[in-house]
Amino acid sequence: MAFQILLNFLLAFLWMIFESSFSINTFLIGYLLGLLILLIMRRFFNSRFYLWRVIAIVKLLLIFIKELFLSNLAVLKLVLRPKLNIRPGIFALQTKLESGWEITLLANLITLTPGTLVVKLSDDNQTLYIHAIDIQEVEDAIEGIKNSFEKAILEVSR
Amino acid sequence: MKTNDLILQTATKTVVFIILLFALHIFFAGHYYPGGGFVGGLLTSGAIVLLLLAFDVKTVKKSLPINYRLMIAVGLLFAIGTAVGSFLFNVPLLTHAFGYFTLPLLGKTSLHTAVLFDIGVYLCVVGATMTIIETIGVSE
């Protein structure tokens, strides 16, 4: 991915040299043309065409914003409830993710979802211990959310 | 009990660069806006302290092999150097000169010898802070 972005920048600079005008607009035109060339030549790289990955990152960002809104609404409902009938608890979650930044991203996203908080990461980086604010009703819904997050992160890193 | 610091370390690797860049911005903004050598130096040592918290003292010492006591000396030399420079032109001690120059990339910039003094302050602050923290951290 990094190599493709570097190549795209190099093509944009070459375009500026060919046009012999060094302005932002020329650079942008060169960048778009370089993107087109990379799209045509994408079979020659050993990783995916990097625009798909950029789209996946944008998708992850949108999921994150949506979850932030939902989590704050859920906490607001809990706070305004006259009777507090919740059952807090801690459960374990197995992850398929491996590299450090993926696990960090997943942990932070889980912490920002409604009613869950990452407490601890196991020593082999495979199990997250999560504190849930209401363990009886949320457990299944949470598993769904986690799967969607894990899928989105795998989309970015694959 | 040893805890798994993976999340803290990954976040640190990203955040340290932002703190260092902000420290440089504060340092260079010091002439016309709030900021300057002292705050910039404190922010820089704050970034190094974050590294010390996330990793071991040994790892940070290996990746940043800086002698902080020498840094204090160099900073003081910068400050004294600006003072000595005023003798050469027959003006009172610590008189600063400035002028406007057209530089490539930056355009019309005012260069001021007070920046050299500020670099001295910056190096002194980073050196002193890090010397204190390392001395306390290493002694068991």
Side-chain angles (χ1 to χ4, degrees):
Chain A
M1 169 160 177
F3 172 72
Q4 289 182 41
I5 292 175
L6 271 177
L7 189 63
N8 205 339
F9 264 85
L10 188 73
L11 286 169
F13 275 112
L14 273 176
W15 179 256
M16 285 203 314
I17 291 165
F18 293 153
E19 296 285 304
S20 66
S21 83
F22 295 92
S23 69
I24 297 286
N25 296 337
T26 321
F27 180 84
L28 284 175
I29 291 165
Y31 197 88
L32 288 173
L33 289 171
L35 203 63
L36 189 72
I37 293 166
L38 281 172
L39 180 63
I40 294 163
M41 304 292 269
R42 70 182 180 276
R43 306 255 187 280
F44 291 88
F45 299 112
N46 46 17
S47 63
R48 278 190 312 160
F49 178 52
Y50 81 90
L51 199 64
W52 306 151
R53 212 178 277 196
V54 172
I55 289 167
I57 289 169
V58 171
K59 263 189 196 158
L60 193 64
L61 197 71
L62 289 175
I63 290 175
F64 162 70
I65 290 166
K66 191 188 86 181
E67 290 299 335
L68 200 62
F69 267 98
L70 286 177
S71 71
N72 283 305
L73 280 175
V75 172
L76 187 71
K77 272 186 207 155
L78 272 179
V79 170
L80 293 177
R81 208 184 278 170
K83 268 164 96 180
L84 201 65
N85 50 351
I86 52 168
R87 284 182 62 195
I90 293 177
F91 65 95
L93 175 95
Q94 302 284 337
T95 64
K96 296 193 290 279
L97 304 174
E98 277 161 15
S99 66
W101 67 267
E102 287 173 352
I103 292 166
T104 306
L105 201 59
L106 182 72
N108 286 322
L109 286 170
I110 288 169
T111 304
L112 288 161
T113 51
T116 47
L117 185 76
V118 174
V119 182
K120 194 178 181 299
L121 179 67
S122 69
D123 288 338
D124 58 350
N125 299 340
Q126 287 305 300
T127 315
L128 288 163
Y129 294 99
I130 298 168
H131 181 278
I133 202 165
D134 203 348
I135 205 152
Q136 49 193 352
E137 59 168 28
V138 183
E139 178 97 56
D140 304 334
I142 284 168
E143 290 296 331
I145 291 167
K146 298 299 166 288
N147 284 338
S148 73
F149 275 150
E150 231 179 32
K151 262 214 210 76
I153 291 172
L154 279 171
E155 278 289 317
V156 173
S157 63
R158 211 182 40 208
Chain B
M1 193 184 117
K2 209 182 141 295
T3 51
N4 192 347
D5 287 338
L6 181 90
I7 294 171
L8 176 66
Q9 284 174 0
T10 317
T12 301
K13 279 176 198 165
T14 341
V15 169
V16 158
F17 294 103
I18 300 167
I19 298 176
L20 286 174
L21 193 70
F22 184 63
L24 285 174
H25 162 75
I26 286 280
F27 174 79
F28 284 115
H31 207 64
Y32 298 109
Y33 303 101
F38 189 78
V39 188
L42 279 182
L43 273 167
T44 309
S45 29
I48 303 170
V49 168
L50 180 62
L51 278 175
L52 284 169
L53 288 174
F55 300 91
D56 325 329
V57 178
K58 257 188 211 150
T59 320
V60 177
K61 258 211 146 94
K62 222 195 289 183
S63 49
L64 288 173
I66 303 167
N67 185 351
Y68 292 109
R69 265 154 290 171
L70 198 69
M71 204 187 229
I72 300 176
V74 171
L76 286 172
L77 270 179
F78 263 98
I80 293 166
T82 49
V84 169
S86 57
F87 289 135
L88 300 176
F89 300 100
N90 258 332
V91 283
L93 189 72
L94 284 171
T95 306
H96 285 289
F98 65 94
Y100 290 97
F101 300 93
T102 334
L103 298 176
L105 278 179
L106 291 172
K108 189 182 164 199
T109 324
S110 80
L111 290 181
H112 203 296
T113 50
V115 173
L116 293 172
F117 192 82
D118 233 9
I119 288 172
V121 173
Y122 178 90
L123 290 174
C124 269
V125 169
V126 174
T129 320
M130 290 321 295
T131 308
I132 292 166
I133 286 164
E134 275 200 339
T135 316
I136 293 170
V138 169
S139 64
E140 287 296 319

